[in-house]
Structure formats: structure tokens, C-alpha cells
Amino acid sequence: MYKFLLCMRYLKTRWIALASIVSVTLGVATLIVVNSVMDGFTTTMQDRMHGILSDIVLETRSQTGITQPQGYEERIRARLGDRVAGVTTVVTLPAMMTFQRNGNSHTQQINLIGIDQNTFASVSDFSKYLLHPENKKQLDFLLKNNGYAVERERMQPSGWEYRAPMARYQKVVQQRLRNAQELEQERFEQLQQKIQEETQASDGAQADPVAALMAGPGIQIANNAQQISQFDSEKEQRTGIVLGINLGSIRGREPDGTVQDFFFLRPGDDVQVTFPNAGTPPRGIDEQFTIVDFYESKMSEYDSTFAFVPLEKLQHSRGMIDPQTGAGAVTSIQIKLKPGNDLNAARDALRDEFPPTHDFVEVRTWRETQGPLLAAVQLETTILNILLFMIIAVAGFGILATFFMIVVEKTRDIGILKALGATGMGIATIFLGYGVLLGTVGSGVGVVCGLLFVWKINDIARVIEWITGREVFDPTVYYFDTIPTIIHPYMLVWVSLGAILIAVLASVLPSIRAARMHPVEALRYE
Amino acid sequence: MNNPDTTLHPHIPAPHMLDMDSKTASPYRVIRPEDTESLRTKRSANAGQLDPMITASGLVKSYRKHKTVVPVLKGVDFVAPKGRVTAIIGQSGSGKSTLLHLLGTLDQPDGGEIAFDGQRIDCLTARDRDAFRNQQLGMIFQFYHLLPELTLLENVLAPAMISHGLFSYLRNRRMVVQRAKELIDMVGLSHRMKHRPRELSGGEMQRTAIARALIANPSLLLADEPTGNLDHESGQIILRILRQLNQDHGLTIVMVTHDESIAQQCDSVVRLKDGKVERLPPTPLRTTSDAIRGG
Ligand SMILES: Nc1ncnc2c1ncn2[C@@H]1O[C@H](COP(=O)(O)OP(=O)(O)O)[C@@H](O)[C@H]1O
Ligand SMILES: [Mg+2]
């Protein structure tokens, strides 16, 4: 009984001992904040990835791809039964996108993905990330009139509303260019004639190399102009392409500091895509596409490389269609399972069905396809946790020192208690209990502080921004508007238990010392 | 351990009522048939025939610091008869406290035996010694040794809290607190119940220590210079309380002092010198009541 009473009294009269566990409190609070933010990032990222990626992917690296996808799909459905929620076939290949802007040619590397617009949305949240409301319902690769992300001023106008005036403007420019060229040609011919007359007059006929050179571009431009005129881009569109939004925009700041996306491409613009065909050796193919929508998953890696085009178009252009059967080859088959099914089990079943040695098909879960990234985040979290627990361990040494001081200070009390018949165990219990109490108070306060911090983290970030004048959480970098946080209850439990354990461990040595103290010497202690 | 025989009467007389008993008791009282009340009977017997409460024989104790050995007790024989007040006197550093600590099992002798009520206590296990101190002994010290974090009442309750676990304490709380209040009342401090030791005077602290020593209703009280740090007046109050306890309740007291006049008021005196007991020239055995009349 006296143990509890004395514990409480020591705590009550020595609040200063709490100072020694402020470090525990801080450590616990920091651990909670760091874990919540890391978990928030990871979970948001995983959710997004998982939304973008299907559950399981069958992939081949062969040039020709999977030539009979229909048969594969049947085998998959047979093997997985009613676990399957959706299957789609995809052609993925690296490609290059080129477009003209301000008279300059811009080139970007992209992941060209040929998708079946009817089934692709069934294996991922693909349509959720498109901008036009109609495309969100069903993508048809046709340019819409307008209505693309109306809340984004910088993207307006887009669609036909943008393409038609642009095309008209281009026509006028082309016309003027042509007129100018014709005029130039005329003047050039006159000049040439004049020179010819002069040279004939002086030292006989001799072709002028400068004149031959200058004649070249003029003809070429004329040819180009002819080609454009065959396709009326004011009324027609080319094959649709859905671009990752970062392929057509740059995130930056307005002069007033607000974060904005600046669009150099919009739905309605044409881009040129160069990709290899399925032949051996592969040859580059050029195709013109019209941007029909943007894809915004907020994962910058995907948003800055993905470009979706209709599957058949890609198969056709690449020569992946078997002339006899008419079946198009694909490079991967993506599968979505019904919720609650074990991905790894399904993967193993498929690996069994399609042995890698036989079909050169690789079966992976979405996690495995993103393995290195997820592993890196996991590693980061682990290291941070270890470091922060080191901080708490350091705090533990602080507690150890404080407790030794308290035991020394209480030497006489210990002697008195022993003279009154307290056992060594009883005395040890006082100080152990004191440690538990301090640890509990410290980690309790830490948990509360940590939770408050996490709860108000965005406000706190704003306050810090206001004080330091520097952005803590830069949305141009992170693609999150607010700091995502997730609090796992079990994390709270193990963090606070860990802190209490450290406080208890730190009080073990002083407790043993107190228990071993000789009563007479303790009583004689001044 | 609550033997009804030795339980203090709930209505303990206040110190100023001490002389009540002395009027009826004669100095050399022989056993009277009506004197059946516990230890009181034995008081009147001759010292040599009295049952010993605690005895020590051939006690040897030395302190070691590195290689130097400081011999303190070199074969001490000691007897404290039941129901008597025994004084231990000697010069400072003669080993009085050391002897008292050995008797109180706070320390262990290097040689010799100690018996309490006929039972060896020097070879008990640590746990049994702790229990023995808690239940059979009351101890008071020169420097009071109260726990500064606890109130007066809690200090008095401390031994009971030690002997009871949390739940058994809570179950017996009313009873124990009742007893503590009676004891505090007896030492005349009922109005200071909630005060901390640092708010009390030396005499008040020592009175608190006495109440604390009595809470478990012990049969032996060990007092190490209980008045050593007090002014004459406060010291006298302490001595009066001790005498009253001895007289009315037959409490056996072993008291260390270096004050000859105090020693002379006790039933018997043991003088320590050079680590040995120096018997005083035999003096007629006096009862406490005489001492009170004298002092
Ligand atoms: N821990 C110790 N180490 C060495 N010597 C000690 C120790 N404790 C007491 N002593 C010595 O033992 C002797 C007796 O001490 P003590 O019993 O306190 O004497 P008293 O109470 O009669 O004044 C003293 O000389 C003291 O110096
Ligand atoms: Mg002494």
C-alpha cells in the first residue's frame, strides 16, 4: 500500500522528474507524427497506384507479344473462377511524343498504352482520373465540345471550342505564309533570271550553288501546306489520345503565389507519336493523334509518362494483327480480382497456369511491379522509427540519471522504510512504479500532443510557413493539396508501450540499488 | 499478531494523568493475586527472575572499510527483561546505536546470538526479519526519521501500510486509522493530523515517531537517544510518554542515551565501554513510578 502512496507522493512533490521524461514525450509525439505522415503518404500513394494499376499483370517481353489473348483470357477465367472482377488486354510500349509550340519542336518520352476502352476501366480506377465528365463515364476517344475541368481557368477553352478557332487561325497563317512564299518565289525567280542574264552576259552559263540551295525549302514548305489542306482540322480529329496531365502542363505559381498548372497542350491539340512497330528489326512509325482528354492520377510518375490510345489502332499501326485470324496481339493482360481475394494466391495459381519457362509470360501483382518504390518507402519508415526510438532510448538514460539522483536523495527514507519492515522488493516496487507512472504520464502526454499535432498538421504547417516565410509542404513538389495522415491505433499502442517500457527499464537499475541499500547505512546517511 | 492481551487499551490516558498508577503501586511490590493483567504481573518480580524480552550473548560486530577493520562490539551480553525499561549508556562512538541496530535486526552481528522472547532472530531470513521489525518492534530515533512526503497521520499509518497489501489495507482502513488516531491523541497531536513533518517541532516529530512505533502494537520498543536532539522540556514530555507506555501497558523499552540522569530513571542500566558491557554497581531496582517521583 505504502508503495502506491509513496509513488504518488514522489510524483506529486517532484514534478521536475517529469522534465526527464519530456524527452520521452517529445520522442513519442514525433514518432506518432512521423508514422502518421509516412503512413498517410504511403497509403495515399498505394491507393493511387492500386487505382491506376490492376491487381495482377501478365506480361510478355517478346516483340510480338501474346498473340492469342482470347485463349489466355479464357484460361485465366477458368483458373480463377469467380474471383475475377475484370480482365483487359493492353499493349504497352515506349514511345516518343513530339509537338510544336512557339515555332519549336518539343519531344518527350512516353509510355504508350493501347487500351480497350470498354474493359480497361473494369480493372482500374482509370476513368476516375479523366477530366471530362463524359469520359469519366465511358471513354470513346472522341474530342468533346468543351467542359474539360471547367474549374481550371488555365485550361479554358479546350475541346472543339479550342481546336476549331485554332485551326481557323492556323489556316489564315498558312494562307498568309503561302502568299508570302508565292511572293518570295516570284521575287526569287525574277532575281534568278536577272543573275542568269548577267552571268550569261559576262562568262557563259554556270549554275549558281546558292540559288540551288535556296530553291529547296521553298518547295518543301509548299508540299507541306498541300498535305495539311487535305485534312480539315477545324472539323476533323485524328485518333484520340489521352495524355498524362503533366505531359501537357507544368505546375508553377501565379505571381500572387497560388499554385497553378500551366497548360502548353490542351484537349484539341494534335501531337505526333513515334513508336516501334512489331517487325524485326523494329522500325519507327509516326502517327498523329488528337488529345481528347488528360489523365490526372496525381502520381507524378504516371501523370508525366502515360499516354493512352485505342488498342486496335495501336495493334493495326504496329502490325500486330494476325492476317489470317484477325486476332490482335497484346503485350500484357491485366486482371482485377473481386475485393477480399488474396492477390498472392491468385498470382501463384496463374504462375502455375502459365509457367514462365513455357510462355515467356511473367505474372506479377501490382505490388511487385512497384516493388522498389514501396520497398524504399518502407525502408525509410523503418529507419525513421529506429532513429526516433534511439531518441527515446537516449531519453531513457536521462531518466536513469534522474532516478539515481532521486534514489540518493531518498536514501534516508529508504532506511526508514526498511526499519519499519519494508522489504527490498517493496522498496524496488516504489521506484519501478514511479518509473511506470512517469513513463505513462510522459507517453500519455506524448500521445495527446502527437495526435493534436497530426490533427492540426496542415494548420501547423501554415503557421510555420507564416513564421519562416518558407513553404513547408510545397504542393508543386508533392501533388497533395494537404499533408495526408493516417493514424493506426496499433501504432499508438506500440509507441506508447515502447516508451513506458524504456522508462521502466531505465528505473530498474535505480530500483535495484534502492532495494539493496543497507538499512543502517541508509539511516546514518545525512 | 493482534493478541488481545497486548492490545493497547483504546482509552490511553494522557501524559498528565500518569501518576494515577503510582498511587496504587508500591516500589517493591510483590505479586498480588488481582494483578493478572498481562505483563504487569512480571514487573513486580525480581529482575533476575523476570522473563527476558530480548537477550544478546557474545555479540561481535566490526565495520570494514577496505582493509581497515573497526571493531565496535567485542562480545556484548545484554538482557532486557519483559515489561522493564532498560537503558544503554556509553560515550559517543562506544557502539550503542550499533547494538540497538543489531537488536532491531537492522544489521547482522559477526558473531554471537540474539533471541527475542526465547527465539533466535539473528539467523532469520531477510523477509522474516522485515516482518519481525514490522510486527514485533517499534523503533524511534534521535533524528525522528519521519517520511517528509507524508502527513503526520500517514506517517503513523506507514507500518500498517507496509504490513498490509493494497486491498487488505483498504479493507482494514477504518480500524487502522481509528487506532492511529487514538495513538496520535495519546501523544497529544490530534490537531496536527494533516501536517507534514517539516511543519512540526522536534518534540512533535518525536511524539509522531512514538505513535508510529506503536501502531503495530509491538512488545518491544527500541529508542536510540529519543531526547538527544530535544530541549529539556520536550525531552521530558517524550520520557513521560515512554514511562506511561511502560507502566500502563507493560511495554518493554530499550533506550539508548548518553544522559546519566535519564539512565538513572530506568529500571536497569547497561553501560558500554570499549565494545564490552560494563556492569554498573548494583543499585536497588526501582520502578518507573519512583523515577517519576524523583524527576
Ligand atoms: N559504516 C561504518 N563504517 C565504519 N565504522 C563505523 C560505521 N558505522 C559506525 N562506525 C563506527 O562504529 C562506532 C560505533 O558507532 P555507534 O554505534 O554509532 O556509536 P554511538 O551510537 O555509541 O555513538 C563508531 O566509532 C563509528 O565510527
Ligand atoms: Mg548513536
Side-chain angles (χ1 to χ4, degrees):
Chain A
M1 167 64 205
Y2 67 105
K3 302 157 201 163
F4 306 99
L5 183 68
L6 281 175
C7 252
M8 294 307 291
R9 286 296 153 82
Y10 286 174
L11 189 68
K12 226 164 126 185
T13 52
R14 270 164 199 72
W15 282 112
I16 190 67
L18 276 177
S20 71
I21 55 156
V22 163
S23 37
V24 172
T25 305
L26 286 178
V28 167
T30 323
L31 259 175
I32 288 173
V33 172
V34 164
N35 273 308
S36 312
V37 172
M38 291 299 272
D39 275 352
F41 267 105
T42 320
T43 313
T44 317
M45 212 171 70
Q46 288 202 4
D47 281 354
R48 284 182 184 178
M49 274 188 192
H50 195 184
I52 295 157
L53 308 164
S54 56
D55 287 338
I56 297 177
V57 183
L58 266 76
E59 234 174 335
T60 176
R61 297 205 180 151
S62 79
Q63 182 72 30
T64 47
I66 299 169
T67 45
Q68 295 296 332
Q70 200 60 40
Y72 269 71
E73 206 181 314
E74 276 158 22
R75 277 164 75 190
I76 290 166
R77 284 189 189 277
R79 185 72 195 231
L80 295 182
D82 57 0
R83 277 186 273 176
V84 178
V87 178
T88 192
T89 50
V90 165
V91 172
T92 333
L93 62 149
M96 211 168 72
M97 181 184 81
T98 315
F99 60 90
Q100 312 284 328
R101 203 57 357 162
N102 301 333
N104 287 322
S105 210
H106 297 262
T107 303
Q108 262 173 311
Q109 190 211 315
I110 57 172
N111 270 331
L112 194 62
I113 304 169
I115 57 168
D116 177 353
Q117 67 237 42
N118 297 317
T119 57
F120 190 66
S122 71
V123 299
S124 66
D125 294 340
F126 171 72
S127 38
K128 196 170 93 185
Y129 300 126
L130 300 178
L131 299 189
H132 199 280
E134 279 176 42
N135 286 341
K136 278 181 202 276
K137 275 185 217 135
Q138 173 62 50
L139 179 66
D140 56 7
F141 284 111
L142 293 178
L143 188 62
K144 303 287 179 287
N145 237 345
N146 51 20
Y148 290 94
V150 282
E151 71 286 354
R152 294 186 195 233
E153 278 172 37
R154 291 265 170 188
M155 229 179 99
Q156 307 307 330
S158 33
W160 283 111
E161 226 173 49
Y162 163 77
R163 184 178 175 85
M166 275 301 273
R168 277 198 294 277
Y169 170 73
Q170 285 292 332
K171 270 188 211 162
V172 173
V173 170
Q174 294 291 342
Q175 192 56 50
R176 293 213 178 136
L177 198 65
R178 247 192 321 268
N179 292 347
Q181 271 169 359
E182 276 160 22
L183 197 69
E184 187 76 4
Q185 193 79 23
E186 232 166 86
R187 279 168 57 190
F188 172 71
E189 275 160 19
Q190 283 172 6
L191 192 71
Q192 208 172 25
Q193 216 161 3
K194 202 172 153 199
I195 291 167
Q196 255 172 357
E197 280 162 19
E198 277 173 19
T199 43
Q200 273 172 355
S202 60
D203 50 30
Q206 203 178 59
D208 185 0
V210 178
L213 206 72
M214 284 177 78
I219 293 157
Q220 230 177 327
I221 290 166
N223 283 352
N224 251 1
Q226 219 170 3
Q227 205 182 2
I228 288 164
S229 67
Q230 288 165 359
F231 175 82
D232 186 4
S233 51
E234 192 183 334
K235 299 204 176 61
E236 294 173 70
Q237 73 161 84
R238 299 185 188 274
T239 312
I241 187 170
V242 175
L243 281 188
I245 193 160
N246 295 349
L247 285 170
S249 69
I250 292 176
R251 185 161 275 207
R253 276 171 199 282
E254 299 270 25
D256 67 1
T258 53
V259 176
Q260 269 285 0
D261 290 322
F262 297 91
F263 291 88
F264 46 82
L265 288 176
R266 288 181 200 188
D269 272 323
D270 282 355
V271 292
Q272 187 178 355
V273 177
T274 312
F275 51 91
N277 71 359
T280 328
R283 253 177 253 286
I285 304 173
D286 277 347
E287 287 277 351
Q288 293 273 341
F289 289 93
T290 298
I291 302 170
V292 294
D293 208 341
F294 281 132
Y295 168 82
E296 188 178 25
S297 66
K298 302 206 168 160
M299 287 292 296
S300 70
E301 192 200 331
Y302 302 141
D303 287 352
S304 58
T305 59
F306 280 5
F308 301 91
V309 293
L311 178 64
E312 296 114 74
K313 167 76 183 168
L314 201 57
Q315 285 171 330
H316 193 79
S317 303
R318 294 192 70 211
M320 291 174 93
I321 295 181
D322 190 326
Q324 263 124 51
T325 61
V330 298
T331 58
S332 69
I333 300 176
Q334 302 192 355
I335 304 154
K336 179 88 173 176
L337 297 184
K338 287 189 180 131
N341 279 306
D342 184 2
L343 288 191
N344 292 341
R347 173 201 60 194
D348 293 341
L350 289 179
R351 277 193 183 156
D352 185 45
E353 179 76 29
F354 307 102
T357 48
H358 183 247
D359 287 312
F360 299 103
V361 168
E362 198 177 5
V363 183
R364 290 190 294 175
T365 64
W366 72 274
R367 247 176 245 283
E368 285 162 341
T369 61
Q370 298 301 320
L373 180 59
L374 295 181
V377 173
Q378 188 58 49
L379 183 71
E380 211 171 317
T381 313
T382 312
I383 287 178
L384 268 172
N385 270 303
I386 291 172
L387 286 181
L388 287 169
F389 250 99
M390 296 277 247
I391 290 178
I392 298 186
V394 169
F397 282 100
I399 297 175
L400 185 79
T402 313
F403 269 43
F404 259 116
M405 294 299 292
I406 291 176
V407 166
V408 169
E409 189 201 333
K410 289 280 143 209
T411 299
R412 219 151 73 137
D413 290 24
I414 293 166
I416 296 167
L417 287 168
K418 288 198 165 171
L420 296 180
T423 59
M425 270 298 285
I427 305 270
T429 314
I430 294 178
F431 291 94
L432 275 178
Y434 193 44
V436 174
L437 221 60
L438 280 183
T440 312
V441 172
S443 68
V445 173
V447 165
V448 171
C449 289
L451 289 181
L452 280 179
F453 197 101
V454 170
W455 181 42
K456 290 276 172 207
I457 190 159
N458 289 300
D459 299 322
I460 292 170
R462 224 166 295 135
V463 169
I464 295 174
E465 263 157 43
W466 179 72
I467 293 170
T468 60
R470 181 180 302 180
E471 193 119 25
V472 178
F473 184 80
D474 190 344
T476 62
V477 179
Y478 289 113
Y479 287 92
F480 294 111
D481 305 326
T482 54
I483 304 173
T485 54
I486 284 184
I487 294 165
H488 289 302
Y490 80 90
M491 182 266 289
L492 292 185
V493 170
W494 78 253
V495 164
S496 39
L497 281 188
I500 292 172
L501 187 73
I502 284 175
V504 171
L505 284 183
S507 55
V508 164
L509 276 180
S511 304
I512 291 176
R513 194 196 142 124
R516 291 238 179 107
M517 225 168 237
H518 195 284
V520 169
E521 267 154 43
L523 279 177
R524 283 187 200 262
Y525 181 84
E526 290 302 314
Chain B
M1 78 137 280
N2 279 348
N3 183 345
D5 268 3
T6 52
T7 309
L8 284 180
H9 197 273
H11 302 291
I12 300 154
H16 59 268
M17 296 164 72
L18 279 174
D19 282 11
M20 251 183 16
D21 187 61
S22 59
K23 278 170 194 149
T24 54
S26 70
Y28 297 101
R29 213 160 38 131
V30 285
I31 300 166
R32 293 196 309 217
E34 64 267 33
D35 253 341
T36 48
E37 195 192 333
S38 71
L39 296 163
R40 183 79 56 82
T41 38
K42 285 143 193 172
R43 154 182 298 286
S44 359
N46 205 348
Q49 291 151 6
L50 281 174
D51 277 352
M53 185 85 246
I54 191 159
T55 58
S57 52
L59 275 191
V60 177
K61 180 73 185 174
S62 49
Y63 288 106
R64 260 168 230 96
K65 202 70 189 245
H66 305 299
K67 280 194 179 127
T68 48
V69 178
V70 187
V72 181
L73 303 181
K74 305 168 187 164
V76 170
D77 298 315
F78 175 83
V79 180
K82 271 187 186 167
R84 292 302 167 103
V85 182
T86 309
I88 302 174
I89 62 168
Q91 282 177 339
S92 182
S94 58
K96 306 183 295 292
S97 298
T98 307
L99 175 59
L100 205 69
H101 291 151
L102 290 178
L103 295 178
T105 68
L106 283 174
D107 211 344
Q108 285 186 290
D110 299 334
E113 288 181 7
I114 305 168
F116 177 83
D117 214 2
Q119 305 238 303
R120 283 278 295 271
I121 53 167
D122 54 310
C123 50
L124 292 176
T125 61
R127 188 164 276 278
D128 288 342
R129 271 183 281 140
D130 292 334
F132 169 74
R133 280 199 299 277
N134 186 253
Q135 318 262 306
Q136 313 282 335
L137 280 191
M139 271 193 245
I140 56 177
F141 305 92
Q142 180 178 2
F143 295 103
Y144 329 121
H145 288 337
L146 299 179
L147 293 168
E149 266 84 14
L150 304 186
T151 64
L152 193 156
L153 178 63
E154 286 162 346
N155 262 292
V156 172
L157 285 170
M161 291 188 195
I162 289 172
S163 62
H164 290 83
L166 177 61
F167 295 107
S168 98
Y169 176 77
L170 291 179
R171 235 178 296 126
N172 297 314
R173 202 184 128 78
R174 283 171 66 100
M175 212 180 74
V176 179
V177 170
Q178 173 66 27
R179 172 161 175 79
K181 284 185 173 163
E182 280 165 14
L183 288 168
I184 294 169
D185 196 37
M186 182 204 74
V187 297
L189 289 173
S190 353
H191 56 298
R192 317 291 306 262
M193 216 86 90
K194 293 265 177 293
H195 288 231
R196 295 284 156 99
R198 79 179 104 81
E199 293 152 358
L200 302 173
S201 75
E204 286 164 340
M205 281 198 264
Q206 197 62 292
R207 273 141 70 187
T208 309
I210 292 173
R212 179 179 70 184
L214 296 176
I215 185 91
N217 199 10
S219 33
L220 175 63
L221 180 74
L222 301 178
D224 191 354
E225 304 201 35
T227 60
N229 233 27
L230 296 176
D231 56 282
H232 184 74
E233 203 65 33
S234 312
Q236 284 306 310
I237 296 174
I238 300 298
L239 290 175
R240 274 218 299 276
I241 293 173
L242 293 182
R243 260 181 230 126
Q244 179 213 350
L245 288 167
N246 170 254
Q247 246 171 6
D248 293 359
H249 309 286
L251 185 68
T252 311
I253 298 176
V254 175
M255 182 163 69
V256 167
T257 177
H258 57 246
D259 187 334
E260 290 283 352
S261 69
I262 293 173
Q264 290 316 312
Q265 299 168 23
C266 297
D267 297 327
S268 60
V269 177
V270 172
R271 186 180 294 272
L272 277 186
K273 196 171 184 195
D274 293 332
K276 293 238 159 101
V277 175
E278 191 186 68
R279 279 272 168 213
L280 286 179
T283 48
L285 187 66
R286 308 192 309 168
T287 60
T288 321
S289 25
D290 297 323
I292 288 161
R293 262 188 225 111

